Amino acid sequence: MGILTFIIDNILINAAMVLGIVALLGLILQKKSAGACFSGTFKTMMGFMILSAGSGVIVGALEPFGTWFAAGLGIQGSVASIEAVLAVAMQNDMIGRDIALAYAGIFVVNLVIARLTRWKYVFLNGEAPIYMAMASILFGVGLCGFSHMSAVLIGAVLGGICCILFPALAQPVVRKITGSDDIALGHFCTLGYLLSAGVSKLTGDVAKSTEDIKFPAKLSFLQDTYLAVGSVMVPLYVIMAVLAGPEVVAEAAGDKNYIVFAIIQGIMFCAGLFVLLTGVRLLIAELVPAFAGIAEKVVPGARPALDCPVLFTFAPNAIVYGFVFTTIGTVVGMFLWPVFGLPMVIPGIMSNFFAGGTAGIFANATGGRRGTIIACIVHGLFISLLPALVAPYLGQIFIEGLPSLAAYTMTDVDCVSMSLFYSWVLKFLAGLFGIG
């Protein structure tokens, strides 16, 4: 029992250790050299630790923003950032361990389904399953009352199914975008992309593509992720600081000038995002090949489902269209949904760029420029509606030692949809049948 307690308290409760073990096993199964096994394991753990550090910076930058927003506009808003929710979740060691276990289980279930069925999609976007695992654990343990082990198993199975389902649903449009069937899309914003493609097909003209025009050089900065995020977040921080006033901002700024402090906080958000994504990339670079090698042996004929930037080269102008008009839609939604009794959702700029840009590519493939403009505004409304729907349930999550999530909500609509499934269906079934 002493050995088991030691393993649980010192290894399984440590998310970085769990992922390191997963990477090591994957590399050993591929018969890699001792040096390659050491390197892959070490870098996987380091990547996860960098991710956690970036998460902490983002949380620190967002905390005063929520206060300024409420004081400046006299309203309460939930910050739409799945990265911020992950950052909060990772502050609890037990939840961090469960997320890591569910994350590894998602890959295993994905491979099993791909091996046994005709849907040969292997999800190689290492970032997205982290968020799906997080949603499953938070809502499974904190809302449905599942035991930690039950939450891990249920999350692994449902997440693994999603890793097959969503690439399969998106593939007809991906095939149209790329002109081939060689790759698939592995990104958990797929419901929004499919909505965009459908609306664009109904409202647009596919013969008039976004790629038939050239953007002026002065707008090229929008294709740099951090400049795009910073160009929105820094002014937004300053505006909120001005509206809130120096007295409110001074609670966080201390003796610093409140405008300068707001600028620094906006840049700090971008810095945290940079650190987080650096950790994610390192984690993906080391962990995914371990599973990719296994997949090649276990799932012959597998089609890799890759992150959304793999599509960016096919329609770069559509990315800018998607980002701009999705942002417009989310701002409209921020004020529209409270009219219907839903919480106000502060737009998630990260999601607006990646999900909005990809939605633009999907919309352009089915409806050209006009369709892309209309569809991406609708997409913005959609990706602000679902976070507004899930925000109250995040506020109901209670896990001992976990900070409150009442000030946050989630982006990535597939993960939000899974969270709503837990809230509307699994919670009811758990209560009805005494599942725990």
Side-chain angles (χ1 to χ4, degrees), residues 249-330:
V249 177
E251 295 177 6
D255 296 333
K256 299 182 179 68
N257 178 273
Y258 76 111
I259 298 297
V260 173
F261 181 77
I263 293 172
I264 294 300
Q265 288 299 106
I267 298 174
M268 186 65 71
F269 177 92
C270 298
L273 185 61
F274 178 86
V275 174
L276 185 146
L277 292 181
T278 299
V280 167
R281 292 190 188 100
L282 181 58
L283 178 64
I284 291 170
E286 299 301 327
L287 189 59
V288 170
F291 281 95
I294 296 171
E296 290 174 2
K297 298 177 181 179
V298 177
V299 189
R303 183 179 293 115
L306 305 173
D307 199 359
C308 60
V310 74
L311 301 179
F312 283 8
T313 58
F314 293 96
N317 288 348
I319 300 169
V320 181
Y321 269 82
F323 174 56
V324 171
F325 290 103
T326 291
T327 298
I328 291 173
T330 57

Side-chain angles (χ1 to χ4, degrees), residues 8-9 11-16 18 48 51-52 55-56 59 84-101 133-134 137-138 141-142 148 152 397-405:
I8 292 174
D9 291 344
I11 298 178
L12 294 183
I13 202 171
N14 189 312
V18 171
F48 192 84
L51 182 157
S52 298
S55 296
V59 168
V85 177
L86 175 64
V88 175
M90 296 308 297
Q91 294 181 30
N92 183 292
D93 289 340
M94 186 70 73
I95 294 301
R97 180 209 64 179
D98 291 349
I99 291 172
L101 289 171
M134 173 202 70
I137 296 303
L138 284 179
V141 174
H148 289 274
V152 168
I397 289 175
F398 175 77
I399 299 172
E400 186 175 355
L402 184 74
S404 172
L405 293 167

